Each structure stands twice: as C-alpha cells, then as structure tokens.
Amino acid sequence: SVKSSGLKYVISIGKWAERCRDLGLDVVDCDTIMPTKLEKQLPAVPGDIWGRLLFTSGTTSQPKCLVYSHAKRFLGETLQKATLPHHPKPGEKLLVMTPFVHGASIVTQAWLDGGGEVIIHDGVHLENVEALLSAQGLTVMFAPPTVLAKILSVHRGQNWAGLKAIMTGTQPLSPSLYARVK
C-alpha cells in the first residue's frame, strides 16, 4: 500500500526510520537532525500559539479555517488517546480512509503515540477495501457513516476477524446502519 499511495518521503525516528528505508522510502531521520542531547535545550512550546489549522469541507456553508492553540491540540490528542476503543500494541494497525486534516489526523496521532501503525488510504476505493481490511495486524478502522455505508454496499456480510473496533464520527450513526455494520 505504500507504493500505491505515492508516498515519497517519511519523517521518522530510529528503528522506524530503518524500517521505512527497508520499504524503499526516502527517510528524514529526526535522530540525525535533532540529537537527543539538544532536546533538553529547547524551550517549551507556549500553549496559546497556533498548534493546528484545519479547514472545513464547506458541505453546510462556505469552507472555514479553524485555528487550535497548541494547548487545545495537545488536549484533543490526549483525550483521544484516553478514549481509544482499543489501545494499540506494536504492529497493530489503524486504517483511515477519510481526509487526514479532519478527524483522521487526531485519531492517527493518538494511535501512533500508543505505538501502533497507521495505513492512510487515499479515499474510499471499494476495490481495495477487502485487502486493506484483511491486512495483517489491522485492528481498528476510522470510518464515518457514509464510508461504512459504501463498504456495506459492496461487502455486505463480510467478516474481518482481526478488526476489533470501528471508530466513527463527523456525522450521526443511525441505529439501522449500526445494526448492519455490526
């Protein structure tokens, strides 16, 4: 899936950087840019500065830019980590297929902080879903109700035994769709 994503560069650290190189990717290894001894010399990041920008999709009105302070971004990620339906173990994967700048990014950050791996798939390509959901180590998927409905339209009755949880959001999950997904 790395080759199909068009991914060219990865920013990583230590053993993960080596793993990415093994996949044939160009890696920016943070350990070589920022030696550990320098980390202690860096000042703390003030909580009130901009920490994250995202843009609404414009589905309900004109698109807008949302600005989160560094403290609010950190709090959001911390709360997401505390409420993950399944905490990852090394090698466990999360699949995200929705725009990264929306809910998928904070879920991804929380998952990575827990030691898991993330598969970021560029959109919902139904022809690839079965292979993605059958991937070794895939335990959690982030998918809003519209994505779940699309998957069910093609893969109704399919059982992915390794999938332990599906996180959803961005719109209400109707009881009838929940029953069909379950």
Side-chain angles (χ1 to χ4, degrees), residues 34-89:
M34 177 73 66
T36 307
K37 63 183 177 183
L38 292 178
E39 289 176 7
K40 295 175 183 141
Q41 297 173 14
L42 296 175
V45 176
D48 60 344
I49 67 167
W50 290 9
R52 182 174 185 205
L53 298 175
L54 28 126
F55 297 89
T56 65
S57 64
T59 54
T60 58
S61 65
Q62 290 286 25
K64 297 170 199 66
C65 177
L66 305 173
V67 179
Y68 289 83
S69 68
H70 179 66
K72 297 288 184 187
R73 184 217 48 84
F74 179 78
L75 178 61
E77 183 182 332
T78 301
L79 290 171
Q80 183 67 61
K81 283 190 287 193
T83 59
L84 284 173
H86 171 76
H87 292 276
K89 295 175 186 68

Coordinates of all heavy atoms in Angstrom, one line a residue, residues 34-89:
M34 N 18.1 16.1 15.1 CA 18.0 16.6 16.4 C 18.6 15.6 17.4 O 17.8 14.8 17.9 CB 16.5 16.9 16.7 CG 16.2 17.4 18.1 SD 16.7 19.0 18.5 CE 15.6 19.9 17.4
P35 N 19.9 15.6 17.6 CA 20.4 14.7 18.6 C 19.8 14.8 20.0 O 19.4 15.9 20.3 CB 21.9 15.1 18.6 CG 22.2 15.8 17.4 CD 20.9 16.5 17.0
T36 N 19.6 13.7 20.7 CA 19.0 13.7 21.9 C 19.5 14.8 22.9 O 18.7 15.4 23.6 CB 19.1 12.3 22.6 OG1 18.7 11.3 21.6 CG2 18.3 12.2 23.8
K37 N 20.8 15.0 22.9 CA 21.3 16.0 23.9 C 20.8 17.4 23.6 O 20.7 18.2 24.5 CB 22.8 16.0 23.9 CG 23.4 16.4 22.5 CD 24.9 16.3 22.6 CE 25.5 16.7 21.2 NZ 26.9 16.5 21.1
L38 N 20.3 17.7 22.4 CA 19.8 19.0 22.1 C 18.4 19.2 22.6 O 17.9 20.3 22.8 CB 19.9 19.3 20.6 CG 21.3 19.5 20.0 CD1 21.2 19.8 18.5 CD2 22.0 20.7 20.7
E39 N 17.6 18.1 22.7 CA 16.2 18.2 23.1 C 16.0 18.9 24.4 O 15.1 19.6 24.6 CB 15.6 16.7 23.1 CG 15.5 16.1 21.8 CD 15.0 14.7 21.9 OE1 14.6 14.2 23.0 OE2 14.9 14.0 20.8
K40 N 16.9 18.7 25.3 CA 16.8 19.3 26.6 C 17.0 20.8 26.6 O 16.7 21.5 27.5 CB 17.8 18.6 27.6 CG 17.4 17.1 27.8 CD 18.4 16.4 28.7 CE 18.0 15.0 28.8 NZ 19.1 14.1 28.7
Q41 N 17.6 21.3 25.5 CA 17.9 22.7 25.4 C 16.8 23.5 24.8 O 16.8 24.7 24.8 CB 19.2 22.9 24.6 CG 20.4 22.3 25.3 CD 21.7 22.4 24.4 OE1 21.7 23.1 23.4 NE2 22.7 21.6 24.7
L42 N 15.8 22.8 24.2 CA 14.8 23.5 23.5 C 13.7 24.0 24.5 O 13.4 23.3 25.5 CB 14.1 22.6 22.5 CG 14.9 22.1 21.4 CD1 14.2 21.1 20.5 CD2 15.4 23.3 20.5
P43 N 13.2 25.2 24.4 CA 12.2 25.7 25.3 C 10.9 25.1 25.1 O 10.6 24.5 24.0 CB 12.2 27.2 24.9 CG 12.6 27.3 23.5 CD 13.6 26.2 23.3
A44 N 10.1 25.1 26.1 CA 8.7 24.6 26.0 C 7.9 25.4 25.0 O 8.2 26.6 24.8 CB 8.0 24.6 27.3
V45 N 7.0 24.8 24.3 CA 6.1 25.5 23.3 C 5.0 26.1 24.1 O 4.3 25.5 24.8 CB 5.5 24.5 22.3 CG1 4.6 25.2 21.4 CG2 6.7 23.8 21.5
P46 N 4.8 27.4 24.0 CA 3.7 28.1 24.7 C 2.4 27.6 24.2 O 2.1 27.3 23.0 CB 3.9 29.6 24.2 CG 5.2 29.7 23.7 CD 5.6 28.4 23.2
G47 N 1.5 27.4 25.2 CA 0.2 26.8 24.9 C -0.8 27.6 24.0 O -1.7 27.1 23.4
D48 N -0.6 28.9 24.1 CA -1.5 29.8 23.4 C -1.1 30.1 21.9 O -1.9 30.8 21.2 CB -1.7 31.1 24.1 CG -0.4 31.9 24.2 OD1 0.7 31.3 24.0 OD2 -0.5 33.1 24.6
I49 N 0.0 29.6 21.4 CA 0.3 29.8 20.0 C -0.5 28.8 19.1 O -0.9 27.8 19.6 CB 1.8 29.7 19.7 CG1 2.3 28.3 19.9 CG2 2.6 30.7 20.6 CD1 3.7 28.0 19.4
W50 N -0.5 29.1 17.8 CA -1.2 28.2 16.9 C -0.6 26.9 16.9 O 0.7 26.8 16.7 CB -1.3 28.8 15.5 CG -2.1 30.0 15.3 CD1 -2.8 30.7 16.3 CD2 -2.5 30.7 14.1 NE1 -3.5 31.8 15.8 CE2 -3.3 31.7 14.4 CE3 -2.2 30.4 12.8 CZ2 -3.8 32.6 13.5 CZ3 -2.7 31.2 11.8 CH2 -3.5 32.3 12.2
G51 N -1.4 25.8 17.0 CA -0.8 24.5 17.0 C -1.4 23.6 15.9 O -0.8 22.6 15.6
R52 N -2.5 24.1 15.4 CA -3.1 23.2 14.3 C -4.1 24.1 13.5 O -4.9 24.8 14.1 CB -3.8 22.1 14.9 CG -4.4 21.1 13.9 CD -5.0 19.9 14.6 NE -5.5 19.0 13.6 CZ -6.4 18.1 13.8 NH1 -6.9 18.0 14.9 NH2 -6.8 17.4 12.8
L53 N -4.0 24.0 12.2 CA -5.0 24.6 11.4 C -5.8 23.5 10.6 O -5.2 22.6 10.1 CB -4.4 25.5 10.3 CG -3.5 26.7 10.8 CD1 -2.8 27.4 9.7 CD2 -4.4 27.7 11.6
L54 N -7.1 23.6 10.5 CA -7.8 22.8 9.6 C -8.9 23.5 8.9 O -9.2 24.6 9.3 CB -8.4 21.5 10.3 CG -8.8 21.3 11.6 CD1 -10.2 20.8 11.8 CD2 -8.0 20.1 12.0
F55 N -9.4 23.0 7.9 CA -10.4 23.6 7.1 C -11.6 22.8 6.9 O -11.5 21.6 6.7 CB -9.8 23.9 5.7 CG -8.6 24.9 5.7 CD1 -7.3 24.4 5.9 CD2 -8.8 26.2 5.6 CE1 -6.2 25.2 5.9 CE2 -7.7 27.1 5.7 CZ -6.5 26.6 5.9
T56 N -12.7 23.4 7.1 CA -14.0 22.7 7.0 C -14.2 22.4 5.5 O -13.6 23.0 4.6 CB -15.2 23.5 7.5 OG1 -15.3 24.7 6.7 CG2 -15.0 23.9 9.0
S57 N -15.0 21.4 5.2 CA -15.2 21.0 3.9 C -16.2 21.9 3.1 O -16.2 21.9 1.9 CB -15.8 19.6 3.8 OG -17.1 19.6 4.5
G58 N -17.0 22.7 3.8 CA -17.9 23.5 3.1 C -19.2 22.9 2.7 O -20.0 23.4 2.0
T59 N -19.5 21.7 3.3 CA -20.7 21.0 3.0 C -22.0 21.7 3.5 O -23.0 21.6 2.9 CB -20.7 19.5 3.5 OG1 -20.5 19.6 4.9 CG2 -19.7 18.7 2.8
T60 N -21.9 22.4 4.6 CA -23.0 23.1 5.2 C -23.0 24.6 4.9 O -24.0 25.3 5.1 CB -23.1 22.8 6.7 OG1 -22.0 23.3 7.3 CG2 -23.4 21.4 6.9
S61 N -21.9 25.2 4.6 CA -21.8 26.6 4.2 C -20.4 26.8 3.6 O -19.8 25.9 3.1 CB -21.9 27.4 5.5 OG -20.8 27.2 6.4
Q62 N -19.9 28.0 3.6 CA -18.6 28.3 3.0 C -17.5 27.6 3.8 O -17.7 27.6 5.0 CB -18.3 29.8 3.0 CG -19.2 30.6 2.0 CD -18.7 30.4 0.6 OE1 -18.1 29.4 0.2 NE2 -19.0 31.3 -0.3
P63 N -16.5 27.1 3.2 CA -15.4 26.5 4.0 C -14.8 27.5 4.9 O -14.7 28.7 4.6 CB -14.4 26.1 2.9 CG -15.2 25.9 1.7 CD -16.3 27.0 1.8
K64 N -14.4 27.1 6.1 CA -13.7 28.0 7.1 C -12.4 27.4 7.6 O -12.3 26.2 7.6 CB -14.7 28.1 8.3 CG -16.0 28.8 8.0 CD -16.9 28.7 9.2 CE -18.4 28.9 8.8 NZ -18.9 27.9 8.0
C65 N -11.5 28.3 8.0 CA -10.3 27.8 8.6 C -10.5 27.8 10.1 O -11.1 28.7 10.7 CB -9.2 28.8 8.3 SG -7.6 28.4 9.1
L66 N -10.2 26.7 10.8 CA -10.3 26.6 12.2 C -8.8 26.6 12.8 O -7.9 25.9 12.3 CB -10.9 25.2 12.6 CG -12.3 25.0 12.0 CD1 -12.7 23.6 12.3 CD2 -13.3 26.0 12.5
V67 N -8.6 27.4 13.8 CA -7.3 27.5 14.4 C -7.4 27.0 15.9 O -8.2 27.4 16.7 CB -6.9 29.0 14.5 CG1 -5.5 29.1 15.2 CG2 -6.9 29.6 13.1
Y68 N -6.6 26.0 16.2 CA -6.5 25.4 17.5 C -5.2 25.9 18.1 O -4.1 25.9 17.4 CB -6.5 23.9 17.5 CG -7.8 23.3 17.1 CD1 -8.2 23.1 15.8 CD2 -8.6 22.8 18.1 CE1 -9.4 22.6 15.4 CE2 -9.8 22.2 17.7 CZ -10.2 22.1 16.4 OH -11.4 21.5 16.1
S69 N -5.2 26.2 19.4 CA -3.9 26.6 20.0 C -3.2 25.3 20.3 O -3.7 24.2 20.2 CB -4.2 27.2 21.4 OG -4.8 26.3 22.3
H70 N -1.9 25.4 20.6 CA -1.0 24.2 20.8 C -1.6 23.5 22.0 O -1.7 22.2 22.0 CB 0.4 24.7 21.1 CG 1.3 23.5 21.4 ND1 1.6 22.5 20.5 CD2 2.0 23.2 22.5 CE1 2.4 21.6 21.1 NE2 2.6 22.0 22.3
A71 N -2.0 24.2 23.1 CA -2.6 23.5 24.3 C -3.9 22.8 23.9 O -4.1 21.7 24.4 CB -2.9 24.6 25.3
K72 N -4.8 23.3 23.1 CA -6.0 22.7 22.7 C -5.7 21.5 21.8 O -6.4 20.4 21.9 CB -7.0 23.6 22.0 CG -7.4 24.8 22.9 CD -8.4 24.3 23.9 CE -8.9 25.6 24.6 NZ -9.7 25.3 25.8
R73 N -4.8 21.6 20.9 CA -4.4 20.5 20.1 C -3.8 19.3 20.9 O -4.2 18.2 20.8 CB -3.3 20.9 19.1 CG -2.9 19.8 18.1 CD -1.5 19.8 17.7 NE -0.5 19.9 18.8 CZ -0.1 18.8 19.5 NH1 -0.5 17.6 19.3 NH2 0.8 19.0 20.5
F74 N -3.0 19.7 21.9 CA -2.4 18.7 22.8 C -3.5 18.0 23.6 O -3.6 16.8 23.8 CB -1.4 19.3 23.7 CG -0.8 18.3 24.7 CD1 0.2 17.4 24.3 CD2 -1.2 18.3 26.0 CE1 0.8 16.5 25.2 CE2 -0.6 17.4 26.9 CZ 0.3 16.5 26.5
L75 N -4.5 18.8 24.1 CA -5.6 18.3 24.9 C -6.4 17.4 24.1 O -6.8 16.3 24.5 CB -6.4 19.4 25.5 CG -7.6 19.0 26.3 CD1 -7.2 18.2 27.5 CD2 -8.4 20.3 26.7
G76 N -6.7 17.8 22.9 CA -7.6 16.9 22.0 C -6.9 15.6 21.7 O -7.6 14.5 21.8
E77 N -5.6 15.6 21.5 CA -4.9 14.3 21.2 C -4.9 13.5 22.5 O -5.1 12.2 22.5 CB -3.5 14.6 20.8 CG -2.7 13.3 20.4 CD -1.3 13.6 20.0 OE1 -1.0 14.7 19.5 OE2 -0.5 12.7 20.2
T78 N -4.7 14.1 23.7 CA -4.6 13.4 24.9 C -6.0 12.8 25.2 O -6.1 11.6 25.6 CB -4.2 14.4 26.1 OG1 -3.0 14.9 25.8 CG2 -4.2 13.6 27.4
L79 N -7.1 13.5 25.0 CA -8.4 12.9 25.2 C -8.7 11.8 24.2 O -9.3 10.8 24.6 CB -9.5 14.0 25.1 CG -9.5 15.1 26.2 CD1 -10.4 16.2 25.9 CD2 -9.9 14.4 27.5
Q80 N -8.2 12.0 23.0 CA -8.4 10.9 22.0 C -7.7 9.6 22.5 O -8.3 8.5 22.4 CB -7.9 11.3 20.6 CG -8.2 10.3 19.5 CD -9.6 10.1 19.2 OE1 -10.3 11.0 18.8 NE2 -10.1 8.9 19.4
K81 N -6.5 9.8 22.9 CA -5.7 8.6 23.4 C -6.5 7.9 24.6 O -6.5 6.7 24.7 CB -4.3 9.0 23.9 CG -3.4 9.2 22.7 CD -1.9 9.4 23.2 CE -1.7 10.7 23.9 NZ -0.3 11.1 24.1
A82 N -7.0 8.7 25.5 CA -7.7 8.2 26.6 C -9.0 7.4 26.3 O -9.5 6.6 27.0 CB -8.0 9.3 27.6
T83 N -9.6 7.8 25.1 CA -10.9 7.2 24.8 C -10.8 6.2 23.6 O -11.8 5.8 23.0 CB -11.9 8.3 24.5 OG1 -11.4 9.1 23.4 CG2 -12.2 9.1 25.7
L84 N -9.6 5.8 23.2 CA -9.5 4.9 22.1 C -10.2 3.6 22.4 O -10.1 3.1 23.6 CB -8.0 4.5 21.8 CG -7.2 5.6 21.0 CD1 -5.7 5.2 21.0 CD2 -7.7 5.8 19.6
P85 N -11.0 3.0 21.5 CA -11.7 1.8 21.9 C -10.8 0.6 22.0 O -11.2 -0.4 22.6 CB -12.7 1.6 20.7 CG -12.0 2.3 19.5 CD -11.2 3.5 20.2
H86 N -9.6 0.7 21.5 CA -8.7 -0.4 21.6 C -7.3 0.3 21.6 O -7.0 1.0 20.7 CB -8.8 -1.4 20.4 CG -7.7 -2.3 20.4 ND1 -7.6 -3.4 21.2 CD2 -6.6 -2.4 19.5 CE1 -6.5 -4.1 20.9 NE2 -5.9 -3.5 19.9
H87 N -6.5 0.1 22.6 CA -5.1 0.7 22.6 C -4.2 -0.2 21.9 O -4.1 -1.4 22.2 CB -4.7 0.9 24.1 CG -5.5 2.0 24.7 ND1 -5.3 3.3 24.6 CD2 -6.7 2.0 25.4 CE1 -6.2 4.1 25.2 NE2 -7.0 3.2 25.7
P88 N -3.4 0.4 21.0 CA -2.6 -0.5 20.1 C -1.4 -1.1 20.8 O -0.8 -0.5 21.7 CB -2.1 0.5 19.0 CG -2.1 1.8 19.7 CD -3.3 1.8 20.7
K89 N -1.0 -2.2 20.3 CA 0.2 -2.9 20.7 C 1.1 -2.7 19.4 O 0.6 -2.5 18.3 CB 0.0 -4.3 21.0 CG -0.9 -4.6 22.2 CD -1.2 -6.1 22.4 CE -2.1 -6.3 23.5 NZ -3.5 -5.8 23.2

